[in-house]
Amino acid sequence: MVTTQAPRPPQAPRDPRATRGPRRPRPPAGTPRTAWLGSTAVMAVLMLAAVYFMLPMVWVLLSATKSPGDLFSTFGLWFSDSPQLGANLSRLMGQDGGAFLRWLGNSLVYSGVGALVAMAMSAACGYALAIYQFRGKELLFATILGGVLMPATVIALPLYFLLNTVGLTGTYWSVLLPSMVSPFGVYLGRIYATSAVPEEVIEAARLDGAGEVRIFLTIASRMMTPALVTIFLFQFVAIWNNYLLPLVMLNDTRTFPVTLGLTLWNSQIQRDPNFYTLVVTGSAVSALFLVGVMVSLQRFWRAGLTAGATKG
Amino acid sequence: MTAAPVARRRGRAQRHGGAAVTLIGPFVLFFLAFFVAPIGYALVDSLFTRRSSGLGLGPPERVFVALDNYVQALSTPVFVESLGRLLLFSVILVPMMVGTALGLALLLESGKARFPRVFRVVFFMPYGVPGVIAALLWGFLYIPATSPVLQGLRGVGIDLTPLSSDTVLFAIANIALWGFAGYNMLILVAALQAVPAELYEAASIDGAGEWQTIWRIKLPLLRPSIILVTVFTIIGTLQLFVEPLILRPLTTAINSDFTPNLAAYNQAFSYGNANLAAAMAVIVAVMAFVASFGFLRLVNRKGNRAW
């Protein structure tokens, strides 16, 4: 089937448009009327789906401009008569001594640093698995792949007790260190290195006297750049969206990532309805932030997705 | 770790054992510390219990109780109920997810869609919204006071209560679908775009219609990707934790032990029974493996390869 032993290099660096045109099956000629009907139906379904996927985003962006009262008294999919986005934003930033910005910064540190280290370690490991032969290699690889199948929630609880015995819980490290492991990154790094790093290049570098580690750092890693970016992105989003790990590990609100902070505010809604605007505006800002990052880097996602698709 | 001088597929291996260790070492070390060790810890811890000594004086002692924690977990009605609920949730979500992702991918790649790139971005966008935020947003959309959808439906005489006990699993499944359908769709789109154009041309010359092309060419070639998406979704359902936690204040239909993960979390942090929590976590992990491998075996049996 499509499963090939040596998948083609995942296609991130290529412009996706290059693959379109000729591949796309043209609607069969003849019967123009039914073809036209067909494409209208297709567009209708796609538009409907687009409305569905955008609905919560549109709602939260509009709601971020409303006062707590208007949130309940005005129609959710249109502006209120007295928009107050500026006031909401400044309340968001000022609440609890600027906690929101701190949480956003924490999220950036957890996700940025975690994903960067995860990328370096898993790419090196994947590269070595692709290039070198040693006993137990496939067993090691299979074990790492097993990690992909393990639900993260199952790891988090025992990890808490484990880190508790060494006194790490409650610190930045308790979230940062576990976030640096990306089994999927090893998988992606291996299949990418297998196809994108030519043997001749490595041999030539060896003849020039370069050490093995240096070959990886200066030559191979450059050839693996699209895979590196993809690993980084996947891990960044995974860490940013992970809720359970910081929930069990952290107790000091100053170390919270933004997801944990927002649920903290959400739990105070019953006590003080003003927290509605804080939660809504905070959700809008943090959702918008990551969606922006993702969409602008969208083409890099294709490398990982193509790789996953061919290996199945 | 030594470089074995045999079976060198790519002919590179000799004398580089040191380099291999340097490159592989850091990952393996972290993998052992933060993946393997917790699982080992849970396995061991689930076989013990902490009993306070005699009169309750002195620190509690750790006693080996073999499988008692598992027996206790599986005879706790709320936990067994949560397992059943999770099963039901999978039955609801998996077909919804695979069907939606597949349908959207086929439509986008049918050649009849205009602006496919725009649609791809729009469908993929929710993947970047953390599950917590998605649950918060849909929570607002599930209560009549703030939901324009429910208000609109009420306007035309339809009264929906997504968070009632009959529909709450669908409400949660919808949040998961919203977040991940676009991601899964991209996996399938990537696989569809890898299909060589000649196949379509050949089919067209042979007079295959639209449906025949989908049935005879696209679906068989998408098979590995569909399996991948299904396995990821099964594993995803077993993680169920955040959504019920966030929606819980909004409805009485969600109890504190709604999913096995919530039950384990409560055992560990509310009731201080870490050993029972470990047993529960292991049960969820075993379920993940049984479900994933069971599904893979099912689809890889010879008789089922027809499609």
Side-chain angles (χ1 to χ4, degrees):
Chain A
M1 310 222 85
V2 190
T3 321
T4 47
Q5 316 90 318
R8 334 165 252 113
Q11 321 166 311
R14 261 199 284 158
D15 182 9
R17 269 169 303 188
T19 63
R20 327 284 346 258
R23 285 220 170 142
R24 181 169 294 251
R26 260 164 226 294
T31 60
R33 193 184 299 163
T34 50
W36 180 83
L37 269 178
S39 78
T40 310
V42 166
M43 286 306 282
V45 175
L46 289 177
M47 293 296 282
L48 210 64
V51 168
Y52 166 73
F53 284 110
M54 299 209 355
L55 178 75
M57 296 300 287
V58 172
W59 179 86
V60 77
L61 292 181
L62 286 170
S63 299
T65 69
K66 294 177 182 177
S67 68
D70 284 348
L71 191 60
F72 292 94
S73 60
T74 61
F75 182 60
L77 292 177
W78 195 242
F79 294 97
S80 69
D81 296 332
S82 49
Q84 51 157 353
L85 178 63
N88 287 346
L89 280 177
S90 68
R91 272 204 57 207
L92 177 68
M93 302 304 165
Q95 180 73 29
D96 296 348
F100 184 76
L101 281 183
R102 194 187 170 99
W103 293 335
L104 214 53
N106 286 341
S107 277
L108 268 178
V109 170
Y110 291 133
S111 306
V113 176
L116 205 65
V117 179
M119 176 192 81
M121 289 197 304
S122 54
C125 183
Y127 166 83
L129 285 173
I131 300 302
Y132 304 115
Q133 303 295 328
F134 52 85
R135 210 166 299 156
K137 176 167 110 161
E138 293 310 324
L139 179 68
L140 176 67
F141 189 57
T143 312
I144 293 172
L145 277 191
V148 178
L149 293 182
M150 185 57 72
T153 47
V154 174
I155 310 273
L157 280 186
L159 195 56
Y160 169 82
F161 293 107
L162 207 58
L163 291 188
N164 205 20
T165 59
V166 291
L168 268 181
T169 48
T171 65
Y172 275 100
W173 295 111
S174 62
V175 173
L176 208 44
L177 291 175
S179 302
M180 291 172 176
V181 188
S182 168
F184 178 73
V186 175
Y187 164 73
L188 197 61
R190 177 178 182 175
I191 59 171
Y192 200 92
T194 304
S195 55
V197 183
E199 203 173 328
E200 301 75 41
V201 173
I202 295 179
E203 289 299 342
R206 279 181 189 146
L207 288 177
D208 287 346
E212 291 299 313
V213 176
R214 188 155 156 237
I215 292 176
F216 169 72
L217 288 177
T218 58
I219 300 170
S221 65
R222 214 161 290 169
M223 293 172 158
M224 291 170 68
T225 303
L228 294 182
V229 177
T230 307
I231 296 171
F232 179 84
L233 277 176
F234 269 105
Q235 194 63 6
F236 189 94
V237 173
I239 301 171
W240 191 282
N241 292 356
N242 191 349
Y243 181 74
L244 186 63
L245 185 69
L247 176 71
V248 299
M249 292 295 176
L250 305 175
N251 46 31
D252 182 350
T253 58
R254 283 174 307 167
T255 58
F256 278 14
V258 69
T259 44
L260 212 52
L262 284 175
T263 51
L264 177 73
W265 280 351
N266 187 52
S267 65
Q268 311 194 28
I269 279 181
Q270 306 294 337
R271 187 172 60 74
D272 178 1
N274 276 321
F275 277 96
Y276 271 117
T277 47
L278 288 172
V279 172
V280 167
T281 316
S283 301
V285 170
S286 59
L288 211 58
F289 176 81
L290 206 61
V291 166
V293 170
M294 263 184 36
V295 170
S296 59
L297 295 171
Q298 195 223 9
R299 65 196 188 93
F300 288 107
W301 292 91
R302 299 172 52 82
L305 296 169
T306 317
T310 46
K311 262 281 180 174
Chain B
M1 225 169 290
T2 49
V6 284
R8 271 177 280 112
R9 185 165 49 89
R10 304 186 67 185
R12 295 172 178 175
Q14 329 87 310
R15 310 180 304 276
H16 305 308
V21 171
T22 314
L23 292 173
I24 293 176
F27 177 85
V28 168
L29 214 65
F30 270 68
F31 185 74
L32 286 176
F34 299 110
F35 253 87
V36 179
I39 296 168
Y41 183 90
L43 280 173
V44 172
D45 213 35
S46 68
L47 303 177
F48 287 84
T49 194
R50 282 173 185 78
R51 280 201 193 114
S52 45
S53 53
L55 299 163
L57 306 167
E61 49 179 337
R62 200 158 177 256
V63 190
F64 180 79
V65 292
L67 296 178
D68 275 11
N69 286 316
Y70 292 93
V71 173
Q72 194 189 339
L74 292 176
S75 55
T76 307
V78 270
F79 185 70
V80 177
E81 273 168 34
S82 76
L83 288 176
R85 198 175 286 124
L86 198 64
L87 212 63
L88 189 59
F89 181 71
S90 297
V91 171
I92 293 171
L93 180 66
V94 174
M96 249 166 90
M97 181 71 82
V98 178
T100 307
L102 184 62
L104 291 177
L106 287 174
L107 286 176
L108 275 180
E109 291 298 308
S110 65
K112 292 179 175 176
R114 302 175 65 192
F115 318 115
R117 283 159 58 83
V118 177
F119 281 116
R120 275 212 305 266
V121 172
V122 169
F123 298 164
F124 182 49
M125 183 187 64
Y127 181 66
V129 179
V132 185
I133 311 272
L136 283 172
L137 295 186
W138 281 102
F140 284 109
L141 294 175
Y142 285 159
I143 48 175
T146 48
S147 172
V149 180
L150 296 183
Q151 288 160 6
L153 286 174
R154 181 168 288 176
V156 295
I158 303 172
D159 250 333
L160 270 188
T161 46
L163 292 178
S164 69
S165 55
D166 296 334
T167 52
V168 72
L169 280 180
F170 287 93
I172 296 172
N174 175 57
I175 300 177
L177 180 75
W178 182 77
F180 291 98
Y183 170 81
N184 290 325
M185 173 208 72
L186 274 194
I187 293 179
L188 298 174
V189 163
L192 270 175
Q193 290 180 346
V195 176
E198 300 84 63
L199 274 181
Y200 293 132
E201 281 156 22
S204 167
I205 290 168
D206 287 349
E210 196 106 8
W211 285 109
Q212 278 184 312
T213 311
I214 290 179
W215 198 247
R216 298 273 169 80
I217 297 179
K218 292 183 181 177
L219 284 184
L221 289 175
L222 280 180
R223 201 186 130 91
S225 305
I226 294 173
I227 292 170
L228 184 82
V229 165
T230 310
V231 170
F232 278 172
T233 308
I234 291 173
I235 295 166
T237 60
L238 290 164
Q239 314 243 18
L240 190 61
F241 179 83
V242 176
E243 291 84 356
L245 190 71
I246 301 291
L247 293 178
R248 195 168 164 240
L250 305 176
T251 172
T252 53
I254 299 176
N255 60 31
S256 61
D257 294 338
F258 195 69
T259 74
N261 282 320
L262 276 169
Y265 178 82
N266 286 333
Q267 280 303 331
F269 293 103
S270 306
Y271 308 124
N273 193 341
N275 304 99
L276 185 55
M280 290 174 169
V282 171
I283 291 173
V284 176
V286 169
M287 276 177 73
F289 273 97
V290 169
S292 313
F293 286 110
F295 175 75
L296 286 176
R297 280 203 61 168
L298 188 76
V299 294
N300 284 330
R301 275 208 310 232
K302 276 212 179 100
N304 288 338
R305 297 214 69 131
W307 64 280

